Amino acid sequence: MPTCFFIGHKNAPEELYPLLLTSIKQHITEFGVKNFIVGDYGNFDQLATRALLKLKKQYPEIILTLLLVYHPFYTAQQHAIFDASFYPPDMEFVPKRAAIIRANQYMINHCDYLIAYNNGHIGNTRKLLQSADRRQKRGLLQIKNLAEQLFL
């Protein structure tokens, strides 16, 4: 089953929401994506989750999976809005300060589609998207960077 992952800046602007809706709908209808994995750290993840929940009413067959970056035993929040959760293998050995980066890298290495928001700021999102770009050049991943469309 094709999988789509989301990665973007924690301070992503609200103006991304309509672009996320359109992009997710395209991934469902044109690319046959049914499994969407999203984190829970920052505004980009919140916007993506909100868009997915809205589209799930129209496309109830899609699966919304929460990416857990810390051991589930230590996750205090209950995430009833998600259909499932996923904790990447070997994450229990990763220091807490590196957990988000490592989990995101795992997903980039194991997803088919990536919806991103990277507006050029130097940081972890940019570094991770450079890694994703290498996978895209080998035909292993399709990336859609919404920052390229935001101010058109």
Side-chain angles (χ1 to χ4, degrees):
M1 175 183 329
T3 299
C4 180
F5 181 56
F6 297 83
I7 188 169
H9 296 293
K10 65 180 177 183
N11 57 352
E14 184 68 29
E15 291 82 14
L16 278 177
Y17 183 73
L19 291 173
L20 275 164
L21 277 172
T22 301
S23 185
I24 294 167
K25 187 172 184 175
Q26 177 188 29
H27 281 73
I28 295 167
T29 60
E30 293 180 29
F31 306 138
V33 176
K34 302 286 187 242
N35 192 24
F36 293 89
I37 301 177
V38 64
D40 192 28
Y41 298 95
N43 200 45
F44 184 76
D45 290 343
Q46 291 174 1
L47 291 169
T49 299
R50 194 171 75 193
L52 285 160
L53 288 171
K54 180 174 181 163
L55 288 169
K56 194 167 177 60
K57 293 175 185 170
Q58 186 177 355
Y59 302 98
E61 70 277 10
I62 66 172
I63 299 166
L64 177 53
T65 301
L66 173 64
L67 175 64
L68 299 174
V69 298
Y70 304 113
H71 190 278
F73 179 77
Y74 298 109
T75 303
Q77 297 175 332
Q78 295 296 322
H79 298 283
I81 61 172
F82 294 92
D83 299 310
S85 62
F86 176 71
Y87 184 64
D90 300 323
M91 286 294 293
E92 62 270 17
F93 304 111
V94 177
K96 192 171 184 178
R97 68 183 182 284
I100 293 173
I101 297 166
R102 181 74 65 88
N104 285 342
Q105 185 64 61
Y106 179 90
M107 288 311 309
I108 287 169
N109 291 340
H110 293 89
C111 70
D112 306 292
Y113 298 91
L114 182 66
I115 298 176
Y117 174 66
N118 177 30
N119 59 3
H121 287 105
I122 296 173
N124 291 326
T125 299
R126 181 172 159 183
K127 290 176 188 173
L128 288 165
L129 284 174
Q130 289 171 342
S131 169
D133 189 52
R134 289 190 291 275
R135 286 196 76 228
Q136 181 172 252
K137 287 178 181 172
R138 294 190 322 231
L140 302 172
L141 175 66
Q142 287 187 13
I143 303 170
K144 182 162 196 143
N145 185 0
L146 299 179
E148 298 167 356
Q149 299 177 318
L150 187 57
F151 298 109
L152 293 181

